[in-house]
Amino acid sequence: MTATNPPVRAFPDGFVWGSATSSYQIEGSVDVDGRSPSIWDVFSHTPGRVVGGDTGDVAVEHYQRYRDDVALMSELGLRGYRFSIAWSRVLPGGTGAVNEAGLDFYSRLVDELLAHNVDPLVTLYHWDLPQVLEEKGGWLNRDVAGYFAEYAAAVAGRLGDRVTTFTTHNEPWCAAYLGYATGVHAPGHTNNAESLAVAHHLNLAHGEAVGALRDTLPATGQVSITLNLQNVRPVSDSAADVAAAAHVERLSNDIFLDPILRGHYPEELIRETSHITDWSFVHDGDLEQISRPIDILGVNYYSPALVAAPTDDLRTRAAAGGEWINDPQSGDRPSLWPGTDLAYALPQEGPYTAMGWRVEADSLRELLERVHADYPGIPLIVTENGAAYDDQVGSDGVVHDDDRIAYFDGHIGAILDAVTAGVPVTGYFAWSLLDNFEWAWGYSKRFGIVHVDFDTQQRTPKDSAHWYSKVIAANGLSS
Ligand code: IFM
């Protein structure tokens, strides 16, 4: 009798398997080769902002160790690597003179990736605005949109001969709401009206950058944006709960999707937030800029959201600080969103990751199918998905992270279900390649498929990395 391999639930040929990181979370070397500080340098150095007082000063030394990190990607068989560029390395003044030494680093990184047959995907903005621009008003200053386009052109001019896919923003939701409403991210403002203006200026910056990228890139260049879309569900099918979920959906998803893919903001959203802002930050012509066509939409997904209409009981609990419309990025800390008077996010049942986020893989299928139904015609790519767990290094020196493997297995299976149902998903990027600086959580949360000893900087692939290698090699899951 001959042994047969177990059948594989295969993905379409050409499906891209990769992993993702971002500049401030991994690079370190914050004051070399002309880099100027970003808002995250300032924020992380402000006492009380980051757990343990952690900063990205050293991070995981990727700036120095990038060659070894690329070799590791190659050993694991990754076909794609999604990374972000630090704006303040390229334009230390935020605008104006280009710092060639900063661009050189990314050029070397791209060459190294290509030499190892790993396809680079560049994200231009993963939250590290140059501090000099914060001093000019940051994302509240609409001129920053133009500076962003200038920066996009500089990067595309240097890397566009070798990089095909450029993403403007990563998760503008976080930059707007966590940065300006809840204040748990840089620059730490807590002003609801500001967060909506910032969401618009981020959209505008995206649109202006799309124009700059199209002008600079060869015709084969692909332009995208990555959104952390929320799969929002009402807690019951009562009209009030359904309306509350629809409100959160508009505030979380449609505020980006509609202007970018349909050329307008939802009228209900403007009405529902009229007690906060008059939306006068939207100028004539902005929506034409914002809705310039893109080639692909990046979707980041971690956990579903459960929403209820306000009740006296919820109001009381929220007033006690426990039950704001919370954001899935800030774990169990209460947070405030514009329009909290219309809907509340409820705690959900487990299982949970170490972030306190509910694990529910099928919710990703649901989300992908819904986005495709609502916005047909644009291919999707899952640019982040993954889980933090309280990893323990075993006596053999390795992390046996079965919980993370189960998370990936479930979510990759959910993507395959969506693909089978006809959703055009072209790739998957595990978050994250390396344990790294998890923003306000510092180094206390580990998302990597590769363990990093933060004292020695030693990298050790976890079991999930080896498992993922097999998925890549098989182009699918063993059933
Ligand atoms: O680490 C972050 C990443 O920077 C953006 N998306 C979510 C991840 C986990 O919180």
Side-chain angles (χ1 to χ4, degrees), residues 40-344:
W40 267 96
D41 294 275
V42 173
F43 191 76
S44 66
H45 278 267
T46 306
R49 291 303 203 174
V50 176
V51 170
D54 292 343
T55 73
D57 289 3
V58 175
V60 295
E61 292 186 351
H62 173 75
Y63 196 82
Q64 293 148 42
R65 296 170 183 266
Y66 74 93
R67 286 204 166 84
D68 293 343
D69 289 340
V70 173
L72 191 52
M73 293 177 213
S74 168
E75 279 161 33
L76 294 175
L78 298 189
R79 308 274 160 75
Y81 175 54
R82 171 179 178 257
F83 62 95
S84 79
I85 300 218
W87 184 342
S88 70
R89 289 195 195 278
V90 176
L91 294 175
T95 173
V98 171
N99 174 35
E100 292 300 334
L103 269 179
D104 284 349
F105 167 68
Y106 297 107
S107 185
R108 291 194 301 275
L109 172 61
V110 165
D111 285 343
E112 195 70 16
L113 289 163
L114 293 174
H116 286 80
N117 294 317
V118 181
D119 194 28
L121 273 82
V122 162
T123 299
L124 291 166
Y125 189 69
H126 199 123
W127 312 342
D128 42 358
L129 185 76
Q131 176 63 21
V132 280
L133 293 184
E134 178 61 20
E135 282 152 22
K136 292 183 180 171
W139 286 111
L140 288 165
N141 175 355
R142 64 181 273 128
D143 292 348
V144 171
Y147 305 148
F148 183 63
E150 185 190 329
Y151 156 63
V155 175
R158 184 68 189 279
L159 305 183
D161 56 338
R162 287 156 291 154
V163 173
T164 20
T165 307
F166 284 82
T167 301
T168 55
H169 294 300
N170 176 73
E171 302 182 354
W173 182 97
C174 296
Y177 295 127
L178 303 188
Y180 287 83
T182 72
V184 298
H185 277 194
H189 297 202
T190 49
N191 181 310
N192 290 336
E194 285 186 5
S195 70
L196 294 171
V198 165
H200 177 67
H201 292 157
L202 289 163
N203 282 336
L204 183 62
H206 158 81
E208 294 201 14
V210 172
L213 291 169
R214 295 282 185 219
D215 289 347
T216 316
L217 292 175
T220 47
Q222 298 277 299
V223 178
S224 71
I225 185 168
T226 277
L227 304 175
N228 54 322
L229 296 175
Q230 319 273 323
N231 190 29
V232 186
R233 292 155 168 175
V235 69
S236 81
D237 55 11
S238 77
D241 288 337
V242 169
H247 167 66
V248 172
E249 175 102 27
R250 287 189 277 276
L251 210 48
S252 318
N253 301 345
D254 304 351
I255 192 171
F256 303 108
L257 286 169
D258 279 12
I260 291 169
L261 297 174
R262 292 181 174 157
H264 59 81
Y265 285 103
E267 276 171 24
E268 300 94 319
L269 178 66
I270 293 174
R271 212 175 39 244
E272 288 158 354
T273 54
S274 59
H275 59 299
I276 298 168
T277 176
D278 61 5
W279 289 74
S280 57
F281 44 75
V282 181
H283 294 190
D284 285 351
D286 284 1
L287 285 154
E288 284 73 28
Q289 300 257 24
I290 295 171
S291 58
R292 286 188 160 116
I294 55 173
D295 302 299
I296 187 156
L297 176 67
V299 177
N300 290 356
Y301 170 84
Y302 290 88
S303 186
L306 186 66
V307 167
T311 59
D312 287 346
D313 175 47
L314 279 178
R315 282 198 187 95
T316 311
R317 284 152 69 189
E323 221 117 16
W324 295 106
I325 277 286
N326 64 352
D327 63 88
Q329 303 278 340
S330 69
D332 54 5
R333 278 173 298 177
S335 58
L336 177 64
W337 274 29
T340 45
D341 46 340
L342 293 178
Y344 289 83

